[in-house]
Amino acid sequence: MQGVVVKKVADLFSVYSNGVCYNNVVARGGIKKKESRILVGDIVFFEHESKDKYIIESICERKNELVRPPLANLDNLIIVITQKPLPDLVLVDKLIIKCRYLHIRPILVISKADILQNDFINELKSQYKNVVKDILVLSSVSGEGKEDLLKLIQNQTSSLVGQSAVGKSSIINMLGGSAQVGELSKKSMRGKNTTRHSEILVFENNVRIADTSGFSRFVLDGIKYSQLMRYYDDFEKFSKKCKYSTCVHIPEIEDECNVKKALKSGKININRYNRYKAIYEELKSQWDRRYN
């Protein structure tokens, strides 16, 4: 049988296949020696060995992998922000960069819409309209945005990420209702304020949501500072006209850097650009400490 690993606790796994969640599944010993560790989100082949015992025989090749939180084969990263706590937009930008790097679709969700000011929503949309195709305003109280989100993520695996207390658990409750599948989902919906591990919840229309712990720090492993500009779609059409192909849009003078010209004329958001510089310097500092 083929299924998706939806939960991992120590050496025991829960695997979802054809509407059934198989719990307490173990991995065959050879997998631990020959293949990488099994992650939540892995597509696996598993067999019924005896009575209630199921064994994972092999892991399918991953299309992508997140290290923190540890997840595999994501289609979408649902980045949740709201007005309180104050959004960390550097974190949001890093998550979008990681999506570009791993070929994951970013979806930006502005949550708690029922208590947000319109100025806040409009400012966020202004900053990200040329960056993220799908920007949704969501309220778990009124249900605003629920159907739009479900249409985007049906038959796919997505992860909810963002700072603690932005409303990720409320969104999961709103999406799930009575449509959750199996003991795993029921156990997960106890109304806890924090999530301490990663697991995938399966909802109606095969919507698969990875619920992960909140975090405030994110490391852009694998991305070199001199290549950072490649992951900024809102810079791309301007950067093609920079004088030098190696232009990183920071030390260069305006006559050589078309991104700086666009910035001056208001075609690039100044806040986005300033955060780009901060991330660039952070990555450069990490590189210098490691190699110099």
Side-chain angles (χ1 to χ4, degrees):
M1 295 185 293
Q2 181 176 309
V4 178
V5 175
V6 293
K7 187 175 182 180
K8 175 183 178 182
V9 178
D11 291 328
L12 295 177
F13 304 90
S14 294
V15 180
Y16 179 78
S17 177
N18 296 321
V20 179
C21 188
Y22 298 86
N23 296 309
N24 300 320
V25 181
V26 299
R28 192 165 295 283
I31 292 180
K32 300 176 183 178
K33 297 178 181 178
K34 296 179 181 179
E35 302 183 52
S36 58
R37 63 193 179 115
I38 300 174
L39 298 179
V40 170
D42 269 329
I43 299 171
V44 298
F45 286 97
F46 66 109
E47 298 295 339
H48 183 201
E49 187 168 88
S50 61
K51 203 174 181 180
D52 294 329
K53 187 176 181 181
Y54 291 83
I55 296 182
I56 295 173
E57 299 285 351
S58 63
I59 310 170
C60 295
E61 183 178 355
R62 295 169 184 154
K63 65 180 180 181
N64 55 52
E65 176 185 338
L66 276 177
V67 177
R68 288 182 294 274
L71 294 167
N73 300 312
L74 283 179
D75 298 297
N76 309 297
L77 199 63
I78 304 171
I79 304 168
V80 185
I81 53 177
T82 192
Q83 197 162 3
K84 292 181 181 181
L86 189 69
D88 182 351
L89 297 186
V90 171
L91 173 62
V92 172
D93 289 351
K94 286 181 177 181
L95 289 166
I96 294 171
I97 292 165
K98 197 68 173 180
C99 284
R100 304 292 186 230
Y101 180 69
L102 294 175
H103 304 290
I104 299 169
R105 175 172 61 172
I107 299 173
L108 189 61
V109 166
I110 305 170
S111 72
K112 304 181 183 180
D114 47 291
I115 59 172
L116 296 184
Q117 298 175 355
N118 287 332
D119 288 348
F120 174 80
I121 295 173
N122 293 335
E123 172 59 25
L124 284 175
K125 286 184 174 181
S126 175
Q127 289 201 40
Y128 288 100
K129 64 183 179 181
N130 296 321
V131 183
V132 179
K133 179 182 178 182
D134 301 296
I135 302 176
L136 303 179
V137 179
L138 205 67
S139 169
S140 58
V141 175
S142 69
E144 177 185 355
K146 174 184 175 180
E147 294 305 318
D148 292 332
L149 180 58
L150 285 172
K151 287 178 185 177
L152 283 175
I153 62 177
Q154 63 182 349
N155 298 316
Q156 297 177 11
T157 300
S158 309
S159 177
L160 278 169
V161 295
Q163 297 162 260
S164 297
V166 294
K168 298 192 296 295
S169 294
S170 295
I171 291 172
I172 288 175
N173 281 327
M174 179 185 71
L175 294 178
S178 60
Q180 297 169 55
V181 177
E183 294 180 0
L184 174 63
S185 298
K186 293 177 182 177
K187 184 178 179 181
S188 302
M189 304 306 296
R190 292 179 177 173
K192 294 181 180 180
N193 294 323
T194 59
T195 305
R196 301 184 182 278
H197 56 269
S198 297
E199 63 178 291
I200 292 176
L201 310 177
V202 184
F203 303 106
E204 196 174 12
N205 294 326
N206 198 24
V207 170
R208 303 183 297 275
I209 299 287
D211 185 22
T212 65
S213 58
F215 58 92
S216 58
R217 189 171 180 270
F218 188 78
V219 178
L220 285 173
D221 50 302
I223 297 176
K224 189 178 178 181
Y225 68 92
S226 59
Q227 299 175 343
L228 179 64
M229 68 283 190
R230 299 181 182 179
Y231 304 101
Y232 278 71
D233 291 0
D234 44 338
F235 292 8
E236 186 178 11
K237 66 178 180 179
F238 304 107
S239 63
K240 289 178 180 178
K241 296 182 180 180
C242 288
K243 186 174 181 179
Y244 302 106
S245 61
T246 56
C247 182
V248 297
H249 322 311
I250 294 178
E252 296 85 359
I253 61 175
E254 192 175 298
D255 288 342
E256 298 175 347
C257 178
N258 197 47
V259 168
K260 285 191 172 181
K261 290 180 183 178
L263 180 68
K264 187 176 181 179
S265 63
K267 295 176 181 177
I268 288 178
N269 183 277
I270 183 64
N271 296 308
R272 272 276 292 172
Y273 177 78
N274 286 337
R275 294 195 299 272
Y276 164 78
K277 287 201 302 181
I279 295 171
Y280 177 93
E281 294 299 337
E282 179 184 328
L283 292 178
K284 187 176 185 302
S285 177
Q286 292 171 1
W287 182 272
D288 290 342
R289 287 197 303 269
R290 184 176 299 176
Y291 297 106
N292 294 335

